[in-house]
Amino acid sequence: MKPTPSLLFRLLNGILLTLIIVFLYLCVKDIHPFNPKVINSALISLTAYALTAVSINKLLYFPGKQSWLHILPAVGIGYSSVFAVNALVFITFSNSFVLAHGLLATVFFVGDFVRRNRHTPRMAYIPLGRASQADQLPHAEWVRLPTAMLPHQNIQAVVADLHSSDLTPTWQKFLADCTLRGIPVYNIRQIEESLTGRVKIRHMYENDLGSLLPPAAYMIIKRFLDIVVVLLMLPFALPIMFLTAIVVFADSRGKVLFTQNRVGQGGREFRIYKFRSMYANSEANGAQLAQIGDQRITRVGQFIRKTRLDELPQFFNILKGDMSLIGPRPEQKVFVEKFEQSIPFYNYRHIVKPGLSGWAQVTHGYASNTDETQIKIEHDFYYIKHFSFSLDLLIAFKTIRIILTGFGAR
């Protein structure tokens, strides 16, 4: 399991940081320690710090290589939200106090992140059953256990296929001893999910689908957030959309907007909007997935696909309720019908709204065949299983990086 920093440790550091800021503030200002302004500023800062610490711990729980740049938006959202709420209710506090607290908190969070990510977690595995190839999993240093003895190296966990019939009483006793020594023991399926960000679908059972039910309450909150965020972004997005439409029109003949039926939540079809990035009549011979170096893509199309500008008209799909900002990418019905025949449980991805960006897009990229699509679906299942604001926030941060780097575009 991917280790995350102790929340208690972070909160204790937050209290210490607040006391330091209070001391420095009192040294600069000639003010009584129990002045309401000092107390309010300390409580506001501590609340913002705690909110940020919880958010960062949840972000770091998710698999994949995280960047310290993900820390900055989390701090900004935590402090600005608390700051705004208290400003609206006219609570007296010091702006400089909260700002200084936020800056020092950022230094602490980034420094702690860098320190913890210097070392890859070391885990031992029992080479039996599905765990026999555990050393192929990423983001960990693996130590093979040929016998029921702990290795000389320090390890953070032991991984085994706990359902394997090859797990003899000797191995079972060994695992029990590891637990008594305080060494965590994990099932290989749990570790696969944690380290790869994928939920395997080849060996799923009916009762596994129950764990993939997204919380209904967050689905309602997510719809509200989608509308608010899109409305806030439209004043900035509309001028960019206008300029994009002009260059698409000038570059090649055909309509500026490309519309197509896609399969959405519940398997219902809807009309998706995109800026045209291919030559007119590019699918005259039938629907086909885009490939690397696809000759159907125009010169401008290559740029707007790489920067995701071609997706901006989908803001209107989001306002209509067809899509969400974050979710599995919608596919054409012809591909959905094909993948339903070859990929188990494929249709289950339609339990949530499709998204402008998603977990599969920011971790795997574009899928151009059935094998890649199966991996993509496993990422989609992970997203559905861990459906939450924290994961949506991480995907949003990663999406910004993708827009800047062009990762996964075709």
Side-chain angles (χ1 to χ4, degrees), residues 235-253:
F236 305 98
L238 286 174
I240 298 175
M241 292 169 68
F242 179 72
L243 292 174
T244 303
I246 291 176
V247 295
V248 169
F249 178 79
D251 180 59
S252 61
R253 298 175 59 184

Side-chain angles (χ1 to χ4, degrees), residues 11 112 155 181 199:
L11 294 178
D112 184 58
I155 59 171
R181 295 186 183 188
V199 173

Side-chain angles (χ1 to χ4, degrees), residues 256-276:
V256 169
L257 280 181
F258 173 77
T259 60
Q260 189 179 68
N261 281 356
R262 297 288 178 96
V263 179
Q265 188 177 27
R268 295 182 293 272
E269 286 190 81
F270 69 96
R271 201 75 172 164
I272 196 172
Y273 309 118
K274 300 178 69 173
F275 283 120
R276 181 176 56 83

Side-chain angles (χ1 to χ4, degrees), residues 31-340:
I31 190 172
H32 195 276
F34 295 104
N35 186 292
K37 189 174 184 178
V38 177
I39 296 175
N40 291 342
S41 299
L43 291 176
I44 289 171
S45 299
L46 193 56
T47 301
Y49 180 96
L51 180 63
T52 303
V54 171
S55 299
I56 291 176
N57 261 48
K58 288 185 176 180
L59 291 178
L60 296 182
Y61 166 80
F62 298 114
K65 186 173 179 58
Q66 308 288 5
S67 168
W68 65 269
L69 293 173
H70 296 155
I71 303 292
L72 304 182
V75 176
I77 291 172
Y79 276 81
S80 61
S81 59
V82 174
F83 186 92
V85 169
N86 285 278
L88 288 174
V89 295
F90 302 106
I91 293 178
T92 302
F93 63 93
S94 169
N95 293 337
S96 59
F97 186 106
V98 177
L99 179 61
H101 196 284
L103 291 174
L104 286 180
T106 302
V107 172
F108 166 74
F109 284 128
V110 171
D112 184 58
F113 173 86
V114 172
R115 179 179 63 84
R116 290 178 181 274
N117 280 267
R118 285 178 179 172
H119 305 290
T120 302
R122 181 185 294 119
M123 292 189 279
Y125 72 99
I126 298 174
L128 299 173
R130 288 186 61 188
S132 59
Q133 295 183 332
D135 57 337
Q136 302 299 312
L137 295 174
H139 312 304
E141 179 184 338
W142 293 98
V143 178
R144 189 175 184 273
L145 296 179
T147 60
M149 295 179 59
L150 285 172
H152 296 298
Q153 307 100 311
N154 291 325
I155 59 171
Q156 293 180 289
V158 173
V159 178
D161 182 353
L162 299 180
H163 302 293
S164 173
S165 57
D166 297 328
L167 209 60
T168 63
T170 301
W171 279 116
Q172 293 173 15
K173 182 179 182 301
F174 169 75
L175 293 176
D177 290 340
C178 288
T179 303
L180 292 175
R181 295 186 183 188
I183 301 173
V185 174
Y186 295 113
N187 188 18
I188 182 62
R189 292 184 65 185
Q190 183 182 9
I191 287 296
E192 283 179 336
E193 179 181 319
S194 176
L195 294 179
T196 65
R198 295 157 53 188
V199 173
K200 291 287 185 179
I201 59 179
R202 290 187 181 89
H203 306 289
M204 287 186 67
Y205 303 95
E206 291 183 6
N207 60 339
D208 289 333
L209 295 178
S211 68
L212 297 180
L213 287 174
Y218 180 60
M219 293 183 79
I220 297 173
I221 296 172
K222 184 177 171 69
R223 174 62 183 151
F224 171 76
L225 292 174
D226 283 338
I227 295 173
V228 171
V229 172
V230 169
L231 290 177
L232 290 175
M233 292 177 67
L234 272 180
F236 305 98
L238 286 174
I240 298 175
M241 292 169 68
F242 179 72
L243 292 174
T244 303
I246 291 176
V247 295
V248 169
F249 178 79
D251 180 59
S252 61
R253 298 175 59 184
K255 296 180 180 180
V256 169
L257 280 181
F258 173 77
T259 60
Q260 189 179 68
N261 281 356
R262 297 288 178 96
V263 179
Q265 188 177 27
R268 295 182 293 272
E269 286 190 81
F270 69 96
R271 201 75 172 164
I272 196 172
Y273 309 118
K274 300 178 69 173
F275 283 120
R276 181 176 56 83
S277 59
M278 294 187 177
Y279 291 103
N281 301 319
S282 60
E283 295 193 336
N285 297 323
Q288 53 183 302
L289 295 170
Q291 305 292 327
I292 296 176
D294 201 315
Q295 297 300 310
R296 298 173 299 161
I297 302 174
T298 65
R299 291 172 301 175
V300 169
Q302 292 176 357
F303 174 76
I304 64 175
R305 288 170 77 95
K306 185 175 181 179
T307 57
R308 272 43 175 199
L309 291 175
D310 62 323
E311 313 283 3
L312 286 179
Q314 289 163 42
F315 278 176
F316 300 105
N317 285 118
I318 295 172
L319 292 177
K320 287 172 61 180
D322 298 328
M323 295 177 61
S324 173
L325 283 169
I326 306 295
R329 286 296 294 163
E331 298 285 2
Q332 298 181 58
K333 189 173 183 64
V334 62
F335 294 130
V336 170
E337 292 174 345
K338 173 186 175 183
F339 293 141
E340 282 179 352

